[in-house]
Amino acid sequence: MTVIRCIRHGQSASNAGEITEYPDTIPLTELGHAQAALVSSCFCKPPRLVVFSSFDRAVQTAMPLCERFPDVPVAVWPVQEFTYLAPHRYVGTSRPDRQDAVTSYWERLDPAGRDGEGAESFLAFWDRVESFLDRLATVRGHVAVFTHGQFLRGVMLRILCGRLGVEEAMFRFRAFRQAVAIPNAAMVVLGLSRQTAMVGPVVTDHLPPELLST
């Protein structure tokens, strides 16, 4: 069985309520870097492969593990966050500034809708989730994947519910994203075989209470 340890990135500037520019360039905070170091310490032996998204906060979270096991191959996969708001509209804003637009997007429940240039439709996001699971079917052994909260929720929902039409997937995901908390640097283990796929709980045991954040 292939064991995939999925890790949400550490606390980012956006998570901390700071003003940010573009989604892919948001860095970790000092707390986020401390969380990333604790993630690395959880690995008793090297994984077979380290995967991370191209977004800066995921790369920075993966770096302590990569530095600890420099001989392990690394790969950038399209496991980046679901960016459904057009980035150019929200340069120089914080999470509270974007909340009305977020609420409006999820009220529409339009899988094919795009907010503008640089935004992703839910349809494209769900295709990425499916493609990720298909790609994992070609991997063997223990893999570490540094990803993002909404992408990880999409993977969990897909495994738990099986194949869904995109409209039903978006309807379920809207509730799932609010019901399932995934703190920064939390881990979720996936077990994949030819016959089945399993998803474990959201784990934060490696983080002391003073280093928990969302």
Side-chain angles (χ1 to χ4, degrees), residues 32-70:
H33 283 289
Q35 292 167 337
L38 287 174
V39 167
S40 173
S41 70
C42 293
F43 286 76
C44 298
K45 59 182 180 180
R48 179 168 292 187
L49 175 68
V50 175
V51 172
F52 42 83
S53 88
S54 62
F55 282 23
D56 286 356
R57 55 195 183 274
V59 176
Q60 291 172 352
T61 306
M63 282 306 100
L65 182 62
C66 294
E67 291 168 357
R68 184 179 173 197
F69 300 116

Side-chain angles (χ1 to χ4, degrees), residues 54-200:
S54 62
F55 282 23
D56 286 356
R57 55 195 183 274
V59 176
Q60 291 172 352
T61 306
M63 282 306 100
L65 182 62
C66 294
E67 291 168 357
R68 184 179 173 197
F69 300 116
D71 295 330
V72 173
V74 301
V76 177
W77 287 9
V79 295
Q80 70 273 14
E81 188 58 292
F82 178 27
T83 304
Y84 51 84
L85 299 182
H88 69 276
R89 300 183 196 273
Y90 301 98
V91 172
T93 64
S94 66
R95 290 176 75 180
D97 297 330
R98 299 187 289 271
Q99 187 54 53
D100 286 347
V102 169
T103 300
S104 177
Y105 174 83
W106 289 108
E107 286 177 347
R108 290 194 296 272
L109 277 179
D110 178 7
R114 291 181 66 242
D115 187 52
E117 184 179 353
E120 185 177 30
S121 68
F122 184 85
L123 176 62
F125 164 71
W126 198 246
D127 282 346
R128 281 200 293 118
V129 169
E130 293 281 8
S131 296
F132 171 69
L133 291 172
D134 289 342
R135 192 169 188 175
L136 288 180
T138 68
V139 178
R140 294 291 178 269
H142 181 195
V143 180
V145 178
F146 291 83
T147 183
H148 303 257
Q150 295 202 81
F151 187 83
L152 183 48
R153 288 183 182 92
V155 172
M156 294 171 70
L157 180 67
R158 167 61 180 81
I159 292 174
L160 290 170
C161 295
R163 292 196 179 275
L164 299 169
V166 68
E167 291 184 357
E168 183 179 1
M170 188 174 192
F171 179 78
R172 293 194 184 195
F173 184 80
R174 181 174 66 175
F176 197 79
R177 64 186 288 273
Q178 295 177 316
V180 178
I182 303 180
N184 294 120
M187 300 186 190
V188 177
V189 175
L190 312 180
L192 305 177
S193 70
R194 292 181 180 179
Q195 290 77 32
T196 187
M198 297 178 291
V199 58

